[in-house]
Structures are given as C-alpha cells and as structure tokens.
Amino acid sequence: EDLRNRSLKKRILVLQSVFRMVLTKRRVWAEKWAEEERLEKERRAAEMERLMQEKGEACIVKIQAMVRAQTAKTRFAKLVEENQERLKEMAEKARLAKLLEEEREKCNLA
C-alpha cells in the first residue's frame, strides 16, 4: 500500500510538472506571439505613415507645380499683353509717321 501511494505520488508529481511545463510553454509562446504581432502592427503603422508622408509630399509637389504653372501662365499672358500694346503703339507711330510724310509731300507740292 505504501509503495503504491509513493508510486502514485511520483506519477502525480510527474504529471504536475509536465502540466506546469505545458502551461509555461503556452504562456511563453503566447507572449512571443503577442510580441511578434505588436512588432508587425508597428511595422505596418510605420509603413502606412511613410506612404502617407510620401503621398503628402507628392501632393505638395503637385500643388507647387500647379502654382508654378499658373504663375507662368499669368506672366506669359502679361508679357503677351505688353507686347501687343507695344505693337499697337508702333503701328500707331508708323501710321502717324506716314500721315506726316504725306502731309509734307502735299506741302512741298503746293
């Protein structure tokens, strides 16, 4: 009987130690898995932030390009307008010079 009790106690102790070992392994694996999942989430968040920043920078570059294009169009329109005004003034001066020349010829003939 005593031998049987010792044998049972020994088996119980072995089973308890195996059970504790399994629980410890589960806890360690759960902690390791949770840590890996947390690191993966951080990596994904960093990647998303980087993509958003790149997208934002790309948007800023596009906006700057649009502003530069608009400014260039405005400057070009202003230059064209100034050139047209100069051409009109030159044409008016040429017309007046021609009229003046015609008047001089009339005066010289008369």
Side-chain angles (χ1 to χ4, degrees):
E1 181 78 25
D2 193 31
L3 190 60
R4 186 172 164 228
N5 284 341
R6 277 192 225 160
S7 177
L8 283 175
K9 283 182 183 181
K10 189 176 181 181
R11 286 183 183 170
I12 290 172
L13 285 174
V14 168
L15 287 174
Q16 284 177 343
S17 71
V18 169
F19 186 68
R20 276 190 236 117
M21 184 179 67
V22 168
L23 287 178
T24 304
K25 280 186 178 182
R26 273 191 181 174
R27 190 185 78 242
V28 168
W29 280 104
E31 289 172 0
K32 184 177 180 180
W33 182 77
E35 179 68 16
E36 287 177 4
E37 188 174 334
R38 184 186 63 79
L39 291 173
E40 180 64 22
K41 282 182 182 178
E42 286 178 3
R43 188 191 63 74
R44 276 188 264 140
E47 181 70 15
M48 287 299 291
E49 185 177 328
R50 185 186 63 78
L51 288 174
M52 292 297 284
Q53 187 175 9
E54 285 178 3
K55 199 179 251 188
E57 288 173 358
C59 287
I60 288 171
V61 168
K62 286 180 183 178
I63 291 170
Q64 288 173 344
M66 287 177 11
V67 168
R68 282 193 298 271
Q70 186 62 36
T71 304
K73 285 179 186 177
T74 305
R75 287 180 183 164
F76 181 73
K78 187 176 179 181
L79 288 174
V80 167
E81 185 179 324
E82 289 174 358
N83 194 22
Q84 287 175 348
E85 288 177 14
R86 266 194 240 118
L87 288 173
K88 285 180 185 177
E89 288 175 5
M90 289 172 60
E92 184 67 23
K93 286 180 183 178
R95 188 182 67 82
L96 290 174
K98 188 176 181 181
L99 284 174
L100 184 63
E101 190 63 37
E102 288 175 2
E103 287 295 319
R104 281 187 188 159
E105 285 179 9
K106 284 183 186 177
C107 288
N108 286 340
L109 291 176

